[in-house]
Amino acid sequence: MVVFWLSTAYWVFKDARRRIEDPWLIALATLLGLVPPFVGPLIYLFLRPPEFLTDARERELEIRAMEEQLADTSQRCPVCRARVDPSFLICPVCTTRLKQSCSSCGQALDALWQVCPYCATPVPPSLPVLEDVSAPPPPRRSTGERSN
């Protein structure tokens, strides 16, 4: 019984070192695992921090990396991921079309703009025209027919 009691106290000590930074709190948790025999580790299970220190640090690093990525105001090409200036019409690396230009003044236009803010020229929609689904489909030839 003494070996089991000491092993539970040792488990509390090892677990507290992975979850708590302050050495005084680690000592207090170990003492809690020792003093009320067999009940102390159960109390520690309810009071211990929910995550390991390494997991908390990893989460903070991920959050910091995401914040830096969101703070990065430079744009990138959607195809080759090269940095592009907001005024570029095409990517200079892979020649992907990034924006359309105004037919009147030649300025770069955003995709959602309906009017050029530089010269007030209406911008035609750049979306492809959808096919008319209400029209009957063209007749299909049967497999046995030959074309002339």
Side-chain angles (χ1 to χ4, degrees):
M1 291 294 265
V2 172
V3 172
F4 182 67
W5 172 54
L6 291 176
S7 66
T8 57
Y10 181 71
W11 174 82
V12 169
F13 170 72
K14 294 292 276 185
D15 190 67
R17 275 191 14 191
R18 291 189 297 168
R19 294 176 186 268
I20 303 171
E21 285 186 50
D22 188 17
W24 288 103
L25 289 177
I26 294 172
L28 185 66
T30 306
L31 188 63
L32 179 68
L34 274 173
V35 173
F38 307 111
V39 178
L42 293 175
I43 295 171
Y44 169 76
L45 280 175
F46 289 114
L47 299 178
R48 72 182 182 172
E51 63 183 349
F52 295 124
L53 292 174
T54 55
D55 293 339
R57 287 186 190 117
E58 207 171 285
R59 181 176 35 83
E60 288 173 11
L61 286 175
E62 288 176 0
I63 290 172
R64 191 175 304 138
M66 284 189 271
E67 287 173 348
E68 288 176 4
Q69 186 179 20
L70 289 174
D72 186 17
T73 58
S74 65
Q75 294 180 346
R76 294 189 176 271
C77 173
V79 176
C80 69
R81 306 300 298 155
R83 289 187 189 265
V84 292
D85 192 69
S87 63
F88 287 177
L89 297 176
I90 63 169
C91 174
V93 176
C94 69
T95 66
T96 300
R97 185 165 192 78
L98 302 172
K99 295 181 179 180
Q100 76 180 55
S101 62
C102 177
S103 60
S104 177
C105 66
Q107 292 286 337
L109 303 174
D110 281 348
L112 297 177
W113 290 352
Q114 297 179 9
V115 175
C116 175
Y118 306 105
C119 66
T121 303
V123 177
S126 61
L127 294 175
V129 179
L130 298 176
E131 63 182 72
D132 186 12
V133 292
S134 63
R140 293 186 177 183
R141 293 190 310 206
S142 64
T143 57
E145 293 180 18
R146 284 195 219 162
S147 61
N148 294 352

